[in-house]
Amino acid sequence: MNAHNRAEEIEETVDVDSAAVSQVEDGIREFVRNDIAYLRRPPIQSPETAPVDPNAEATANNVNSLIQRVAGTSLGEIEKLISELESLRDLLHAEGQRVQREISGYAQLSQAAMKSTRMIADNVNQWKRAADGLRNS
C-alpha cells in the first residue's frame, strides 16, 4: 500500500518535473541561440572594453534559476528517498534480528519437545516390558 502511494507520488512529481524540464530546455535553447548570435558579431579587440549583452546575461540567469529550481526539487526528493530507505533498512535489520530470536526460541522448544517425547517413549517401553514380564510369569 505504501509502495503504491509512493509510486503515485513519484508519477505526480515526474509530471510536475517534466514541465520544469521543458522550461529548462527552452531556456537552454534560447541561451544557445543568443550565444551563437553573439559569436557571429565581429570580434572586439579588447575584452575589458567588450560590452556585456544584457539579453544573454538575463537568459543565463534565467537558465541558472530554472536549473536550480529543478535540481532543488530533485535533490529534495532524493534526500527524502534516502532517509526513507535508511529507515526501511533499520526496520528490516531489527525485524531480521527478531526473526532470528524467534527461530532460536522455536529450535530450543523443538529440542525440548524431542527430549520429552524420547523420555515418554522410553518410559512407555519400560512399562510395556514390565507388563509383558508380569503376564509371562
Side-chain angles (χ1 to χ4, degrees), residues 10-130:
I10 291 172
E11 287 177 15
E12 291 174 4
T13 303
V14 168
D15 291 340
V16 171
D17 286 345
S18 64
V21 168
S22 65
Q23 286 179 346
V24 169
E25 288 174 352
D26 292 341
I28 291 172
R29 283 188 196 101
E30 182 66 30
F31 177 73
V32 169
R33 277 188 222 117
N34 288 340
D35 195 36
I36 291 172
Y38 178 74
L39 291 175
R40 289 182 184 166
R41 293 183 186 147
I44 299 173
Q45 299 299 329
S46 172
E48 293 84 25
T49 61
V52 177
D53 185 8
N55 194 17
E57 189 173 328
T59 304
N61 289 336
N62 189 20
V63 168
N64 286 338
S65 68
L66 286 173
I67 290 173
Q68 287 175 352
R69 278 192 355 221
V70 171
T73 303
S74 298
L75 287 175
E77 285 295 316
I78 290 170
E79 288 174 0
K80 188 169 138 184
L81 184 60
I82 287 171
S83 68
E84 287 178 10
L85 288 172
E86 286 174 343
S87 65
L88 185 60
R89 181 195 61 200
D90 294 341
L91 174 71
L92 288 174
H93 182 70
E95 284 298 307
Q97 289 178 340
R98 183 189 64 79
V99 168
Q100 285 178 349
R101 286 191 306 270
E102 292 286 328
I103 289 172
S104 176
Y106 286 129
Q108 289 174 356
L109 183 62
S110 176
Q111 288 175 353
M114 289 294 290
K115 285 181 183 178
S116 298
T117 303
R118 282 189 199 128
M119 288 176 58
I120 292 170
D122 290 343
N123 286 338
V124 168
N125 280 336
Q126 286 177 1
W127 293 341
K128 189 176 184 183
R129 282 187 215 138

